Amino acid sequence: MKICNIVGARPQIIKAAALSRAIKEIYNSQIQDIIIHTGQHYDINMSDVFFNEMGIPTPTENLGIGSASHSIQTARMIEKIEEILLKYKPHVVVLYGDTNSTLAASISAIKMNIPVAHIEAGLRSFNKKMPEEINRIVCDHSSTLLFSPTITGLRNLQNEGFHLDSLPPYTADNPAVYLSGDIMYDNSIFYRDKAVKLSNVIERLELKDKKFILTTIHRNTNTDEPERLKEIIEKMNAIATSTNYTVVFPIHPRTKKLIKEFDLTFLLKNIKVIEPLSFFDMIVMENAASLILTDSGGVQKEAYFYHKPCIIMRKETEWIEILQAGAGALEPQTIDEFTALVQRFINNPPSKFPAYFGDGQTAKFICEKLLLFNKYQS
Ligand code: UD1
């Protein structure tokens, strides 16, 4: 069976690593894994570092799309992906998450009648101002195989008219919907010990024996308006000045660019701003942090996987299980409420982290279902 794994942004490279590993270890003689990188992320520390560290095979093709407005970026990808799919003629196109690379590839594939398998299907924020929400909806509704990480995802799909009990043969009009568990959890378990052994990030950042709070911010809804970005940095600053915790901020290139553009750099003087981290460094930092503040879907979950409290710097989350467990909370509005929540999480960290995200064997489950699908097709 020939599959094209299409990735483009940092979190997709991480998710694809788990599938590639399962194929290499178990399904090498049954599945041919062709990796296509759209080039949406191109900086070494946003892309190459993940391939190297996680031992993912070098992409068979890199489309070199790079940055542009959402429409231009997506349009360029659609055009190039069509050429690639014509060249490789895969049985299934495997897509991850909700980026513009996911959107573009789902459109190219469905227009060519190539079945799409969507990993991380069914997630919804119910906020269409997020580009990711549009991307997810289009991809789910173009897919023939939908792999939802959570029961909430399954319910969302059901509410949009997907049947959970469809029978083969599967098509985009009669898709198969599975509860697969979360593929990121596979990696979080697999790489934790290795990362702790190989990464020296704590020493490098001079954080040994120091207590710190790890922060990441990159969502358009948080970065594109100066007032909102300022509010977030002021909240980070309030923790840095009112506690003895260091606030560490690995900064996404877009967030960095906008902070400069909006003249907000002066607000960062109490915050330890660093370059984006590799996956191994990030794992080690997450494990050593006392608290995590983030607007990233992936980092929210990694906080949960490593039993760390998390404040989600948004008004909503797709990962409502984290809220249900009491392991995380949405960002309170005022600075006072915010610092009070930080104190509560630091002084009384949550202790319950039920297994909402599967058993760490999601990649294997997905490979089995891909092979089954291929059997029905032939
Ligand atoms: C994208 C995804 C988002 C995901 C995130 C992970 C979409 C709509 N968004 O957001 O869902 O959570 O990746 O990081 O697809 N840039 C660089 N170097 C890079 C990549 C980006 O400098 O290697 C800068 C450029 O200024 C670029 C900007 O970041 O214009 C935006 O990059 P883009 O990939 O379009 O979106 P992200 O913000 O990374």
Side-chain angles (χ1 to χ4, degrees):
M1 177 182 197
K2 204 195 285 184
I3 64 167
C4 267
N5 259 301
I6 303 188
V7 298
R10 181 166 62 174
Q12 295 169 323
I13 301 166
I14 295 170
K15 288 165 202 163
L19 203 74
S20 287
R21 193 171 62 246
I23 294 173
K24 203 163 122 199
E25 283 172 4
I26 312 170
Y27 303 98
N28 215 6
S29 59
Q30 293 159 282
I31 301 178
Q32 185 189 352
D33 179 22
I34 300 163
I35 300 176
I36 311 295
H37 192 325
T38 63
Q40 178 172 348
H41 284 173
Y42 44 86
D43 283 357
I44 290 174
N45 60 9
M46 295 291 284
S47 177
D48 296 9
V49 67
F50 299 96
F51 282 93
N52 301 338
E53 203 170 54
M54 300 171 90
I56 314 169
T58 310
T60 314
E61 304 270 356
N62 190 320
L63 310 183
I65 301 293
S67 302
S69 71
H70 283 253
S71 297
I72 292 177
Q73 187 183 54
T74 308
R76 287 182 183 150
M77 287 180 194
I78 292 176
E79 193 174 345
K80 288 259 183 170
I81 292 169
E82 185 180 77
E83 282 171 26
I84 289 292
L85 296 181
L86 278 170
K87 178 170 165 188
Y88 289 101
K89 299 189 174 49
H91 296 107
V92 172
V93 168
V94 179
L95 304 179
Y96 303 84
D98 53 21
T99 72
N100 289 344
S101 298
T102 316
L103 170 69
S106 66
I107 293 175
S108 300
I110 189 140
K111 295 273 180 191
M112 297 170 77
N113 282 326
I114 301 175
V116 172
H118 187 204
I119 299 180
E120 224 176 66
L123 296 180
R124 298 290 181 267
S125 64
F126 304 100
N127 173 3
K128 290 204 178 96
K129 280 197 184 134
M130 288 175 67
E132 291 85 357
E133 184 77 348
I134 315 289
N135 298 348
R136 296 176 185 128
I137 293 173
V138 174
C139 185
D140 280 343
H141 286 263
S142 308
S143 293
T144 295
L145 301 169
L146 293 94
F147 295 102
S148 174
T150 58
I151 293 173
T152 311
L154 281 189
R155 285 200 198 111
N156 291 337
L157 291 171
Q158 218 172 2
N159 290 340
E160 288 175 21
F162 285 89
H163 297 289
L164 305 187
D165 52 359
S166 56
L167 295 171
Y170 299 123
T171 63
D173 292 311
N174 178 44
V177 178
Y178 298 107
L179 178 64
S180 61
D182 193 317
I183 199 158
M184 282 191 61
Y185 188 43
D186 294 24
N187 282 335
S188 295
I189 298 172
F190 185 81
Y191 288 112
R192 172 151 65 175
D193 292 345
K194 204 170 167 189
V196 169
K197 233 182 262 164
L198 295 179
S199 160
N200 64 358
V201 65
I202 302 284
E203 291 74 20
R204 221 169 61 230
L205 297 178
E206 296 171 357
L207 289 167
K208 209 163 172 25
D209 302 323
K210 283 204 181 129
K211 291 181 190 168
F212 68 90
I213 294 171
L214 182 65
T215 310
T216 79
I217 297 292
H218 78 278
R219 293 260 168 226
N220 302 54
T221 42
N222 278 339
T223 57
D224 293 5
E225 297 294 329
E227 277 312 306
R228 173 63 183 144
L229 190 53
K230 184 163 177 262
E231 181 192 349
I232 292 178
I233 302 174
E234 277 171 348
K235 283 180 171 164
M236 286 159 66
N237 215 10
I239 318 173
T241 50
S242 69
T243 68
N244 55 352
Y245 286 73
T246 306
V247 177
V248 185
F249 184 21
I251 198 163
H252 186 287
R254 190 160 48 76
T255 311
K256 186 177 177 178
K257 201 168 79 183
L258 289 166
I259 288 178
K260 210 165 153 206
E261 212 173 292
F262 301 152
D263 269 334
L264 297 172
T265 313
F266 72 100
L267 284 174
L268 292 170
K269 63 177 184 300
N270 297 312
I271 292 162
K272 195 172 176 75
V273 179
I274 57 172
E275 288 299 305
L277 293 170
S278 75
F279 187 59
F280 285 7
D281 286 348
M282 193 65 185
I283 288 181
V284 170
M285 290 291 282
E286 286 164 348
N287 274 283
S290 301
L291 169 70
I292 296 177
L293 309 181
T294 189
D295 62 1
S296 150
V299 177
Q300 271 172 60
K301 277 182 299 163
E302 282 164 355
Y304 190 91
F305 300 156
Y306 297 136
H307 294 191
K308 297 289 172 176
C310 176
I311 302 183
I312 300 162
M313 302 301 283
R314 287 175 49 193
K315 287 198 178 68
E316 75 281 305
T317 177
E318 301 78 21
W319 305 101
I320 61 163
E321 293 76 10
I322 298 175
L323 306 182
Q324 278 167 4
L330 296 174
E331 172 194 354
Q333 253 189 330
T334 67
I335 290 214
D336 287 348
E337 289 165 340
F338 181 75
T339 47
L341 180 64
V342 169
Q343 290 293 352
R344 175 162 77 76
F345 270 148
I346 288 172
N347 298 330
N348 292 304
S351 55
K352 290 203 180 80
F353 295 84
Y356 288 133
F357 298 98
D359 58 2
Q361 300 292 320
T362 295
K364 195 170 162 236
F365 176 91
I366 291 171
C367 288
E368 294 287 345
K369 298 300 176 202
L370 289 172
L371 287 167
L372 195 64
F373 172 71
N374 204 39
K375 208 165 116 189
Y376 294 141
Q377 298 301 97
S378 48

